[in-house]
Amino acid sequence: MLRRNIFVYGLITLTSLGIAGAMCLFGLYMWAASDLVSITKISDYRAPQVTTVYARDKSIIGYLFHEKRFLVNLDAMPAYLPKAFLAAEDARFFEHEGVDFQAILRAFLSNMRSGREDQGGSTITQQLVKRLLLTPERTYERKLKEAILSYRLENYLTKEQILYLYLNHIYLGNSSYGVEAAARTYFGKHVHELSLAESAVLAGLPQAPSRNNPYTRPGNTRDRQVWVLGRMLVDGFISKEEHDLALAEKLEYRQMPDPSWTVGSWYLEEVRRQLLVFFEESNIRRLGVGIDIYGEEAVYEGGLHVYTAMDPLHQRSAELALRSGLHEADHRRGWRGPLERIGPVDYANFVKNSGFTPEALDNGGWAKALVLKVEKNGAVVALSEQYQGYISVKTMGWCRVPNPRVASASAAKIQDATKVLTIGDIVFVSAYGAVGTANPVTVPADPDNKKNPVPPYVSSQVDPGKPLELCLEQTPDLQGALASIEIKSGDLVAVAGGYHFSPESQFNRATQAHRQPGSSFKPIVYSAAVDQGFTPGTIVYDTPFVLPDRYTRRIWAPGNADGKFLGPIPVSRAIAASRNVSTVRVAQQIGMEAVVRRAHDLGISGDIPEVLAVSLGSYEATPQTMAEAYSAFANSGKRVKPRIITSISNSWHEPLVTFEADVQEAITPQNAFVMDYLLKGVISGGTGSAARVLGKPMGGKTGTSNDERDAWFIGFTPHLVTSVWVGYDNNIPMGRSEYGGKAALPIFINYRKAVEPMYPPDDFPAPPGIIWSSGGSSEDGAKLAGFPMIEGIPPRYDAGGGDDVGEQLMKEEMFF
């Protein structure tokens, strides 16, 4: 009886304890589950993805992202890649229901034996829950919640869906999220190209990406790879032969080149700015674009595919031409001095830490050098402990003391290096005979020059026992911009916004800098005049007169850049020679209201004052705006507001929106043709005559603002219009003789030389409604060619404007 009672009481006790334990577990579960996030959050989860920006040939300009991640489906991965991660992280993934108690016990025993935490017991499902739904804190409460959510997730998503999310979300070091980004970062290839050995490397990273970083700790990487391959063999994922071949494979770690913020940085930044504006929530809702994320989230995390109008050849050529032109213009300013000057106590430290190798001067590279000795004929410099160089005074001819009042052509050439350099100076140098495009250089290679051949620099032939031939360099503080519009497509094919794009210099002067266009505004005046009967043959007067200022009552006497007056001249010569006085007279005669209206027609917006000074370009505009204005001359009167972005697709390449250029009729085709005739005269025999080297029918106009603060050239063919501006950001004078034809036109020419082979040598077609003058004869009896006029508009043969014009203007209050 006693024995029976003990059994009964024991059974009751055990049952009670079991019930109590179950109730405790249930209570613990309810407590932990009371504030859990909904598991549906994962199905709604949108992994931040990289937005890819393409040029119009589908090459990649760059990426925009918060997290570098590219989504890839499981079927696009090699079969052994997911298996490698399963072997490393969760071999029983397809067997458990979110938590693997066997793995927890195995990891515990392994870590106890090794004395360190080599293995984790968390399943892939738990890792995903921890990263997407919970905080990273290490507490029992968090682990319990993790287990509950993992079980729920296993019953909400399929195993394949969980694995897909995990492989695309996991952080694998070096700013790489997901296996596609990691494949690009560590092996320079796409994930589908990975070998088994490479897949094992990636699978070894999740637990400690920094500790196992292939670039900084390759030994750790190898150990981890060997372990992963061993686990794959044990778990039956690979054969012994596959295992051995993978172990024997030699790995090459290299990063896939990232084009972001290299060539096309100015364009990429402009695209970024436009995307942020376009994806404002109000705009997306108004347009009904099929996307439910907005602003920065859409741009940096939406995985968009953004196709642009940038042409790589145009863009590279524009950047090279602009940098080269600014380098040359900066040399005309003179030598501003060294980067810094150090004392003898710092010499040894400089040469020890310079890190210079001869390869640094390849591809037009610059390097820092320390001046050790200076004499009249040149300077000895140190590049490192091993290498020295010599800068000959013959390459320092440009290094005058800056003086904007003296033209570079009139300045004495430097013949004494001691007037330029001092011992202890730290300066930039390039190789004498440099080859390449990384930077403009003072003396590039020119082996075919019969008079003074310059052999190319070859870094592999440098002898440490001999000084390198070097040239002095300085980074220009002068700035510039170029914008180029392809007429038929409406594409903004190139944008260069300054000498160098960097985190400190992202201001895009092509699209954001408002500067005075100077004489490049004159065609707008003459276009308005053509509608009032002015023809290329109309006589205008380049004779002196004075105007009182409306507000100060001071006298303004318009003058010409050369200080001369040519008297009565035809309009064609007035615009070709860029005569200021005759332009002001024309503006007065047709009325500034007509000039301002024509400027607005051509896309120059804003409250333009109706004062005569505007006729000489005193109202500010951006280089892109001026290119748009001239596009009407190139395009039979239709102004092209170009497109930068051509289309946008979502992360699955489904189209979201397409953009077209905004083309509007601004002037009549007949007016545009007369202007083409006049502006071709600027090239054939005027201030833009240097552009004749391009050998195509072309119109254009130079421009220079007061005191040479701005230099412009805007040129066009029927296919392409390009605007170039040069000046200082702080609007100081560039220096005497820095006209548009000297500072801006060479940039235009170098750019167009590179891209003109893309287009046929077409002339501007004459539209219906054009009649031609009979021409006539010159004083020596030679037959003169006729010029175009617009049928139906009575021509003005003489614009008038004698000595009484000042008095007339005072009466009409057309003051400056």
Side-chain angles (χ1 to χ4, degrees):
M1 179 67 71
L2 178 61
R3 189 178 301 171
R4 180 182 176 187
N5 289 339
I6 292 173
F7 174 77
V8 171
Y9 289 139
L11 183 60
I12 293 172
T13 301
L14 289 174
T15 302
S16 299
L17 288 173
I19 293 172
M23 291 179 66
C24 287
L25 289 175
F26 180 75
L28 187 63
Y29 170 82
M30 293 302 294
W31 168 75
S34 63
D35 60 347
L36 287 179
V37 297
S38 172
I39 203 68
T40 59
K41 183 177 178 182
I42 283 190
S43 63
D44 296 334
Y45 168 70
R46 182 185 285 110
Q49 301 176 62
V50 168
T51 286
T52 306
V53 181
Y54 303 88
R56 70 176 184 175
D57 66 352
K58 303 303 187 290
S59 62
I60 296 174
I61 304 173
Y63 304 111
L64 304 172
F65 57 88
H66 286 151
E67 295 180 0
K68 189 166 71 174
R69 177 185 287 107
F70 306 86
L71 294 188
V72 57
N73 289 324
L74 288 177
D75 58 10
M77 302 177 193
Y80 40 71
L81 176 67
K83 292 177 181 178
F85 277 87
L86 293 178
E89 299 295 326
D90 190 359
R92 299 183 65 250
F93 174 72
F94 284 99
E95 300 171 29
H96 62 67
E97 294 189 25
V99 179
D100 188 352
F101 295 103
Q102 290 184 27
I104 293 172
L105 179 60
R106 184 179 66 246
F108 173 76
L109 294 175
S110 175
N111 294 339
M112 288 292 290
R113 285 194 298 268
S114 66
R116 62 180 185 270
E117 193 173 333
D118 285 333
Q119 295 186 33
S122 294
T123 65
I124 279 177
T125 311
Q126 286 176 279
Q127 293 181 48
L128 189 63
V129 164
K130 179 173 65 176
R131 287 176 170 84
L132 297 183
L133 299 179
L134 298 174
T135 63
E137 62 180 342
R138 301 186 118 188
T139 65
Y140 290 115
E141 179 186 353
R142 201 270 295 160
K143 291 295 291 183
L144 180 57
K145 291 181 176 181
E146 178 185 296
I148 296 170
L149 287 171
S150 297
Y151 177 79
R152 291 182 179 178
L153 183 60
E154 290 272 350
N155 288 275
Y156 186 76
L157 297 179
T158 66
K159 288 287 188 178
E160 289 74 16
Q161 289 172 325
I162 294 172
L163 189 57
Y164 163 80
L165 285 172
Y166 175 81
L167 292 175
N168 280 292
H169 180 83
I170 189 73
Y171 178 64
L172 296 170
N174 280 296
S175 302
S176 300
Y177 294 81
V179 291
E180 172 66 21
R184 300 184 186 199
T185 296
Y186 297 116
F187 299 107
K189 57 180 64 174
H190 295 287
V191 69
H192 70 269
E193 301 172 301
L194 291 176
S195 68
L196 171 58
E198 293 164 339
S199 297
V201 169
L202 299 191
L205 294 174
Q207 296 303 321
S210 297
R211 189 171 68 206
N212 298 318
N213 188 323
Y215 292 117
T216 59
R217 297 188 176 182
N220 289 4
T221 306
R222 175 61 175 175
D223 292 343
R224 190 70 176 160
Q225 180 211 29
V226 170
W227 181 85
V228 172
L229 289 169
R231 292 304 311 167
M232 293 183 76
L233 179 61
V234 170
D235 293 330
F237 290 134
I238 57 174
S239 68
K240 183 66 167 60
E241 182 182 4
E242 290 173 318
H243 170 270
D244 294 345
L245 287 173
L247 279 180
E249 182 178 325
K250 185 178 180 180
L251 298 176
E252 179 185 354
Y253 298 119
R254 61 185 179 87
Q255 196 158 10
M256 183 180 288
D258 185 347
S260 305
W261 314 114
T262 54
V263 174
S265 294
W266 297 108
Y267 209 106
L268 181 58
E269 170 61 11
E270 196 63 24
V271 170
R272 187 193 69 84
R273 290 174 59 239
Q274 287 201 6
L275 286 174
L276 288 172
V277 172
F278 178 78
F279 279 100
E280 290 178 356
E281 183 174 355
S282 58
N283 191 54
I284 294 300
R285 291 184 181 278
R286 179 178 61 83
L287 296 174
V289 178
I291 191 170
D292 58 356
I293 53 177
Y294 315 102
E296 288 196 6
E297 184 182 1
V299 174
Y300 293 106
E301 300 181 3
L304 303 173
H305 297 275
V306 181
Y307 299 91
T308 75
M310 191 199 91
D311 183 282
L313 175 61
H314 278 271
Q315 186 65 32
R316 283 194 300 271
S317 303
E319 292 182 16
L320 290 174
L322 182 62
R323 284 169 60 82
S324 178
L326 293 178
H327 182 265
E328 293 178 10
D330 186 72
H331 272 202
R332 293 196 294 271
R333 309 282 71 67
W335 172 247
R336 299 191 305 274
L339 299 171
E340 59 177 315
R341 184 169 295 152
I342 62 176
V345 69
D346 295 317
Y347 291 1
N349 188 54
F350 173 84
V351 296
K352 180 180 180 181
N353 298 317
S354 74
F356 173 82
T357 64
E359 290 75 21
L361 300 178
D362 285 340
N363 192 33
W366 292 5
K368 287 185 178 180
L370 167 64
V371 178
L372 299 177
K373 179 182 177 181
V374 187
E375 56 187 10
K376 181 177 181 180
N377 291 329
V380 177
V381 299
L383 295 159
S384 67
E385 291 179 317
Q386 189 177 9
Y387 295 98
Q388 289 192 352
Y390 186 75
I391 308 173
S392 172
V393 73
K394 293 179 181 179
T395 66
M396 299 183 192
W398 61 274
C399 296
R400 65 174 178 133
V401 176
N403 184 350
R405 292 187 294 274
V406 178
S408 58
S410 303
K413 300 297 181 184
I414 293 296
Q415 297 179 340
D416 184 349
T418 63
K419 297 183 181 299
V420 179
L421 297 173
T422 300
I423 294 173
D425 284 353
I426 303 293
V427 297
F428 276 130
V429 294
S430 64
Y432 182 86
V435 178
T437 59
N439 295 291
V441 294
T442 298
V443 184
D446 189 8
D448 298 327
N449 189 315
K450 294 181 180 180
K451 187 176 181 181
N452 294 303
V454 179
Y457 169 78
V458 182
S459 60
S460 61
Q461 298 178 3
V462 171
D463 183 352
K466 298 180 180 179
L468 283 76
E469 288 188 82
L470 302 171
C471 299
L472 201 58
E473 301 290 358
Q474 73 178 2
T475 302
D477 59 356
L478 190 68
Q479 285 294 348
L482 183 152
S484 201
I485 302 170
E486 192 175 72
I487 298 299
K488 300 306 178 187
S489 66
D491 288 348
L492 186 67
V493 290
V495 168
Y499 179 76
H500 181 65
F501 185 92
S502 69
E504 297 77 30
S505 178
Q506 299 179 15
F507 179 63
N508 191 333
R509 296 159 187 86
T511 61
Q512 295 175 283
H514 292 260
R515 304 297 297 238
Q516 291 189 5
S519 294
S520 64
F521 189 88
K522 290 175 181 174
I524 296 170
V525 176
Y526 286 100
S527 174
V530 166
D531 282 348
Q532 296 191 27
F534 281 72
T535 73
T538 300
I539 298 300
V540 294
Y541 289 81
D542 185 25
T543 53
F545 69 104
V546 296
L547 299 168
D549 187 286
R550 174 180 297 174
Y551 304 104
T552 66
R553 295 292 169 171
R554 293 179 180 175
I555 297 300
W556 177 46
N560 295 305
D562 59 5
K564 301 176 182 178
F565 297 92
L566 302 181
I569 55 175
V571 162
S572 57
R573 188 177 181 190
I575 194 168
S578 198
R579 309 308 290 177
N580 292 340
V581 176
S582 53
T583 302
V584 174
R585 289 180 179 275
V586 170
Q588 180 272 326
Q589 289 166 347
I590 65 173
M592 280 304 300
E593 181 181 354
V595 173
V596 170
R597 185 166 56 249
R598 181 50 44 89
H600 286 156
D601 293 340
L602 294 171
I604 300 176
S605 60
D607 187 14
I608 305 175
E610 294 180 5
V611 295
L612 288 172
V614 167
S615 68
L616 300 183
S618 65
Y619 185 75
E620 296 177 343
T622 68
Q624 181 181 328
T625 298
M626 292 303 294
E628 292 174 17
Y630 275 58
S631 70
F633 303 143
N635 194 32
S636 299
K638 295 175 181 174
R639 177 176 64 85
V640 180
K641 186 173 179 60
R643 57 182 183 172
I644 292 179
I645 300 172
T646 59
S647 66
I648 303 173
S649 299
N650 65 17
S651 59
W652 300 111
H653 293 275
E654 297 167 338
L656 290 177
V657 63
T658 300
F659 299 91
E660 300 293 340
D662 181 9
V663 180
Q664 300 179 6
E665 186 165 329
I667 55 178
T668 66
Q670 295 76 21
N671 185 291
F673 183 76
V674 173
M675 292 307 303
D676 294 338
Y677 175 89
L678 290 171
L679 294 174
K680 285 199 295 183
V682 175
I683 305 296
S684 62
T687 56
S689 59
R692 285 183 296 181
V693 69
L694 296 171
K696 285 187 175 181
M698 181 176 292
K701 186 68 187 74
T702 54
T704 312
S705 67
N706 287 342
D707 300 322
E708 292 84 26
R709 299 174 189 271
D710 304 273
W712 295 74
F713 185 79
I714 308 168
F716 60 93
T717 64
H719 304 287
L720 189 69
V721 58
T722 303
S723 173
V724 177
W725 166 84
V726 175
Y728 283 102
D729 284 340
N730 60 4
N731 205 29
I732 62 174
M734 289 183 287
R736 187 177 292 276
S737 299
E738 286 301 314
Y739 303 128
K742 187 173 186 178
L745 180 55
I747 296 170
F748 172 88
I749 292 171
N750 286 337
Y751 160 67
R752 296 293 286 252
K753 278 182 178 178
V755 301
E756 280 303 327
M758 298 174 66
Y759 305 101
D762 297 329
D763 203 346
F764 303 95
I770 289 293
I771 57 177
W772 292 83
S773 72
S774 58
S777 302
S778 63
E779 293 180 358
D780 59 3
K783 182 68 175 178
L784 297 177
F787 51 81
M789 298 182 294
I790 300 176
E791 187 176 11
I793 298 180
R796 297 178 64 167
Y797 298 104
D798 190 315
D803 295 335
D804 62 342
V805 69
E807 180 180 348
Q808 180 184 351
L809 292 173
M810 288 183 225
K811 290 179 180 178
E812 298 177 3
E813 294 193 349
M814 289 287 293
F815 301 145
F816 171 64

